[in-house]
Amino acid sequence: MAGATANLGEHLSRVAERLPDKPAVICVKRRGGALRSRSWTFRELDREADRLAHAFRRIGIGKGVRTILMVRPSFELFSISFALARAGAIPVMIDPGMGRQRLVDNLSAIDAGAFIGVPLAHALRVASPGRFPTVKATVTVGKRLFWGGHTYSGLVAAEPWRPFVPEPTQPQDTAAIFFTTGSTGPPKGVVYEHGMFDAQIDYLHSHFGYDEADVDLATFPIFSLFDVVLGITSVIPDMDPTKPGTADPALIAATIRAHACTSLYASPALLENLARWGAETGATLPTLRRIITAGAPVRPALLEALHTMLPERAPIHTPYGATEVLPVTSIESGEILAAARSSRRTDRGMCVGRPMHGMDLRLIGISDAPIGSWSETRAVAAGEVGEIVVRGPNVTKEYFRNSEATRLAKIADDGDTAGIWHRMGDLGYLDDAGRLWFCGRKAHRVEAVGGPLFTIPCEAVFNAHPRVRRSALVGVGTRGRQQPVLVVELVQGDSGRETAALTGELLALGARHEHTAQIRTVLYHPGFPVDIRHNAKIRREELTTWATQHLEATT
């Protein structure tokens, strides 16, 4: 699908020419108990992006200008994103939920030339004097207060429509900077190139089967931008995308039904609530042809529950990847459930499928040190747990102005200056069928006297107990002599009584398996801290600190 100049704006132009009157974006709001929606066609979106691109160029937002973009999911987010692509500017996107200080610290280091945001974002900017000295152009989406600059509505009104010829960006040119959430380390600015977006678009079309007949309920704003370039109608639900775990499942289901959505991309946290609501009400979602979920491991029990709401052959895809490279592998729910039914083993980790076409995936010896070149790596034996590394068309090459993070995460391919391997920071192994089994984050492994313990295989043993909602293995003490501690969150509604008896049951479970026999300490936590993007990844670093303090206080 890559064009000569690899610009997302060109994809939109081609779709608008082919499907001018088809709805491109539908924004849904709940008003007085009823759903209200507003729709824009591909022609309207294409022309709005043209007007904005002309306006951006006029006010100094052109090729190579790093532009902080803090706009809620909306038609404006779509039009601004494609206008920036056409102008050759570099949008910088970050999760606002990481906290004010970290947000300002990370954005100020970008040296952005422009700032586009909602009023609250601009209020944060002006409340941080001296932190954004390079910003010359500002655009407010919504009501502009005392900070001056331009407004979205004013820019559009001042530009009569005329076609905008996209900047001739090349595949290797920087297209965007996306910040990691910081859920597994300090937030880092991931540098995306235009050609990498083309590779991701190809995967969505060829692997996941998206086509122009689809209507997608996109609960993750960045992902929804891909809908448009594929000619898919994107439905934006009434929810806070930074808190998917709080989305109202009844409202999500009503939106799917009202717009006959065929596809749903959602966090496991949102799907857990949707499945629970479906079990309570008996509701189904007959129009859905697929669900895609990512961001955290997905329990087979959740897949089973979701399938009761879907048509018989509708797959649930669980791709594996990271901000730095997505997707890496993918697997359908049918294969996961078949494997779960055919084996009672709990030491295998989580199967995340086979590598996407064009992706080279290897396992190397576990190391926390930088690796300068591929010749310095050691391949692990078949079936041995190793560090996951990948190379392919959608693998990012660097972090923005963070040479140390780049040095730790990237490996140069010997004899090929353009070849880059990305260290996923995850552990796993390949089975005889070429499938990758995820065993947890490298940084979360517990290095005990009796040998290393890996989170996902160990936790699976204890998660099988009916009173356990989820568990987290953490290590207390010095690496190499860490004390393995199991932290448990009880199922919703559990009173927490008789935990002494429960502890005995859990330790008995662990004693039956060689890989969990070292675990002899169990603690109970009232509610696990989770990541800000998907509300599903357990923040184990915080639980490690909590467990350490708890044990120190009781000794």
Side-chain angles (χ1 to χ4, degrees), residues 486-500:
L486 185 75
V487 184
V488 172
E489 181 184 334
L490 299 175
V491 296
Q492 197 169 28
D494 193 305
S495 64
R497 294 179 180 177
E498 300 179 353
T499 53

Side-chain angles (χ1 to χ4, degrees), residues 295-306:
V298 180
R299 301 179 303 111
L302 172 58
L303 299 176
E304 291 272 19
L306 288 170

Side-chain angles (χ1 to χ4, degrees), residues 138-475:
T138 62
V139 179
T140 303
V141 181
K143 185 177 181 181
R144 181 185 58 196
L145 300 179
F146 53 87
W147 46 77
H150 304 274
T151 64
Y152 176 97
S153 57
L155 289 177
V156 172
E159 291 288 343
W161 174 75
R162 60 195 189 282
F164 184 93
V165 178
E167 286 287 342
T169 51
Q170 299 302 310
Q172 69 276 13
D173 288 345
T174 299
I177 299 172
F178 297 125
F179 271 87
T180 61
T181 62
S183 58
T184 56
K188 299 179 288 291
V190 180
V191 178
Y192 264 73
E193 298 173 356
H194 282 276
M196 295 170 185
F197 283 135
D198 271 9
Q200 290 179 315
I201 293 166
D202 178 62
Y203 284 140
L204 289 172
H205 176 70
S206 63
H207 184 86
F208 297 106
Y210 279 93
D211 60 41
E212 293 173 0
D214 277 308
V215 178
D216 185 41
L217 186 73
T219 64
F220 186 44
I222 305 303
F223 185 85
S224 64
L225 296 174
F226 287 117
D227 289 344
V228 169
V229 301
L230 290 167
I232 296 169
T233 299
S234 187
V235 179
I236 310 300
D238 190 354
M239 61 172 281
D240 183 349
T242 68
K243 299 177 181 177
T246 66
D248 181 351
L251 181 58
I252 294 295
T255 304
I256 291 172
R257 289 193 294 265
H259 296 281
C261 294
T262 61
S263 187
L264 169 63
Y265 182 98
S267 157
L270 185 152
L271 294 177
E272 289 276 4
N273 291 337
L274 183 63
R276 189 179 303 112
W277 174 82
E280 293 170 353
T281 63
T284 60
L285 302 169
T287 63
L288 283 184
R289 299 195 308 181
R290 80 177 67 77
I291 290 177
I292 297 180
T293 182
V298 180
R299 301 179 303 111
L302 172 58
L303 299 176
E304 291 272 19
L306 288 170
H307 271 296
T308 64
M309 303 179 71
L310 300 177
E312 184 177 356
R313 291 183 173 82
I316 303 171
H317 298 274
T318 59
Y320 162 74
T323 305
E324 295 87 343
V325 49
L326 184 70
V328 172
T329 68
S330 184
I331 188 171
E332 288 188 13
S333 50
E335 188 171 3
I336 294 175
L337 294 173
R341 295 185 190 110
S342 65
S343 175
R344 293 181 176 273
R345 291 180 58 186
T346 56
D347 61 344
R348 303 183 68 187
M350 178 162 291
C351 186
V352 293
R354 297 171 180 83
M356 307 295 288
H357 66 84
M359 292 295 298
D360 194 355
L361 185 150
R362 308 282 180 87
L363 294 164
I364 63 174
I366 302 170
S367 171
D368 296 311
I371 301 175
S373 65
W374 186 251
S375 60
E376 299 174 29
T377 63
R378 175 185 66 84
V380 301
E384 179 185 346
V385 174
E387 183 177 344
I388 304 167
V389 294
V390 295
R391 178 180 61 174
N394 57 336
V395 172
T396 56
K397 297 182 176 69
E398 62 179 333
Y399 297 106
F400 184 76
R401 293 183 181 174
N402 194 334
S403 58
E404 180 61 20
T406 299
R407 198 166 69 95
L408 284 168
K410 309 297 180 180
I411 306 173
D413 192 5
D414 297 316
D416 181 0
T417 56
I420 295 291
W421 292 86
H422 177 69
R423 303 171 72 179
M424 296 295 293
D426 293 331
L427 304 176
Y429 65 92
L430 292 169
D431 65 15
D432 293 339
R435 299 178 303 185
L436 177 66
W437 290 76
F438 172 70
C439 293
R441 293 289 292 171
K442 180 174 65 175
H444 296 156
R445 73 190 189 280
V446 176
E447 296 282 3
V449 173
L453 289 80
F454 308 118
T455 55
I456 300 302
C458 289
E459 291 161 4
V461 171
F462 305 102
N463 290 344
H465 194 287
R467 291 186 64 186
V468 175
R469 180 190 177 196
R470 53 188 171 183
S471 63
L473 175 69
V474 301

